Amino acid sequence: MAERTALLILHGKQAANDEVRAAVGELRERGWQLDVRVTWEGGDAKRMVGEALAAGYRHIVAGGGDGTLRDVAEAMGLARTDTGLALLPLGTANDFARAAGVPLEPAAALALLEQPARLIDLGRVGDQLFLNMATGGFGSQVTANTSEDLKKVLGAAAYLFTGLSRFSELQSASVTLQGPDFHWQGDLLALGIGNGRQAGGGHVLCPDAKADDGLLDIGILPAPQEVVGALRDLLAGDELFVRARLPWVEIKGSQGLDINLDGEPLRAESLRFEAVPQALRVHLPVDSALLSRPD
């Protein structure tokens, strides 16, 4: 199949998006064979990735929110393919796309197909791969409890609204983190294990993360005794965070762990996270903040 061939895996809610339709038409006018498949139910995106690879498409586009991107990226990573992935961010948060500098305007996002794909890392926990971030603590609870209806009305601000409304439920989690030359034990309010930088609709937990350095960034917000004062200080700066950059980290929780893995809930007593270097080719802007190496 020719090099300028791509399959757009489009979330079903975006099937009638006129801006997306126009962007697809514009790319076709520039000589691309851009075919479109629309998801209907859970598992469709992963199945369509397999079909696209079997058919020989040289590029796959994930069109939707962070959930669609997660499903497509994981399926491609597990397949260990050289096919390039492009992002068409159409969700509420678009956390990875925003951190990477991918345009939110469909035509500009699809134009990145004409940029060379760059090798980036993935994260792995158990038999699952993730592209952006694993989060724990109060932030992951907010993400999990923000309703789809509220996101439709308020957009990314829905996460903030949910967080404020659940402020009285704010609780710390007692955990132990162990990695190469790193050990931390205590109560935390928030945890980020990042290949990307932000999660939950713009919460930046790993501000210096790079997606191509072969490492995972760790961001820990310890739980202080005075929560309100700590949150006030947090808004003023970054000093409260404990940070590390590791090839792997093991986490244990005295009362179990509730982790949000790119939007997918995960619960266990202990988990091991590790970086999978150069696991996926992704079309990103040449000046993307998530790239550490030049072209």
Side-chain angles (χ1 to χ4, degrees):
M1 189 174 280
E3 180 65 27
R4 290 167 71 87
T5 60
L7 180 69
L8 167 58
I9 299 175
L10 184 65
H11 192 283
K13 292 182 179 179
Q14 301 295 332
N17 189 319
D18 290 336
E19 197 173 3
V20 170
R21 184 179 296 273
V24 169
E26 181 179 322
L27 202 67
R28 287 171 175 169
E29 290 176 359
R30 296 210 298 269
W32 280 81
Q33 177 189 331
L34 179 56
D35 299 325
V36 182
R37 301 289 184 271
V38 178
T39 64
W40 176 256
E41 57 190 355
D44 281 355
K46 293 181 179 181
R47 173 178 55 80
M48 291 173 183
V49 167
E51 294 171 353
L53 297 179
Y57 284 94
R58 299 303 304 145
H59 311 272
I60 294 175
V61 182
D66 292 316
T68 300
L69 176 57
R70 174 196 65 226
D71 291 344
V72 172
E74 181 181 39
M76 293 180 68
L78 291 172
R80 300 182 180 181
T81 178
D82 287 333
T83 296
L85 170 64
L87 316 182
L88 178 57
L90 300 170
T92 302
N94 303 312
D95 281 306
F96 185 84
R98 290 179 186 273
V102 174
L104 301 184
E105 194 273 321
L110 288 179
L112 289 178
L113 281 168
E114 298 179 337
Q115 295 282 354
R118 303 288 300 275
L119 276 169
I120 68 168
D121 313 326
L122 292 174
R124 178 165 56 205
V125 54
D127 59 356
Q128 294 181 267
L129 297 177
F130 63 97
L131 174 64
N132 186 41
M133 186 176 292
T135 60
F138 187 63
S140 63
Q141 297 170 26
V142 169
T143 302
N145 287 285
T146 302
S147 73
E148 292 298 323
D149 290 339
L150 193 61
K151 286 191 284 187
K152 288 179 182 177
V153 175
L154 298 181
Y159 296 103
L160 175 60
F161 180 84
T162 302
L164 293 174
S165 66
R166 300 177 69 91
F167 182 80
S168 62
E169 303 173 28
L170 191 61
Q171 296 179 347
S172 61
S174 180
V175 301
T176 300
L177 287 88
Q178 183 75 43
D181 299 319
F182 178 80
H183 177 84
W184 188 89
Q185 183 174 0
D187 294 341
L188 59 79
L189 288 179
L191 167 69
I193 302 174
N195 191 44
R197 296 186 172 186
Q198 64 185 57
H203 299 293
V204 180
L205 297 175
C206 301
D208 300 318
K210 300 292 185 181
D212 61 353
D213 61 357
L215 301 170
L216 293 172
D217 274 49
I218 315 299
I220 303 167
L221 178 60
Q225 306 213 339
E226 177 50 57
V227 171
V228 175
L231 291 180
R232 182 181 60 245
D233 293 341
L234 177 61
L235 293 175
D238 188 55
E239 294 80 6
L240 292 179
F241 274 86
V242 175
R243 302 207 179 278
R245 185 170 287 131
L246 305 169
W248 59 267
V249 65
E250 294 179 346
I251 309 175
K252 296 181 180 180
S254 60
Q255 298 178 338
L257 298 167
D258 287 299
I259 299 293
N260 190 298
L261 193 68
D262 278 358
E264 188 76 17
L266 183 64
R267 181 168 177 79
E269 293 185 357
S270 64
L271 294 167
R272 178 186 171 97
F273 294 85
E274 57 186 6
V276 185
Q278 300 187 0
L280 187 64
R281 294 183 179 276
V282 183
H283 297 273
L284 297 176
V286 294
D287 58 350
S288 172
L290 292 184
L291 297 176
S292 60
R293 294 188 293 268
D295 282 334

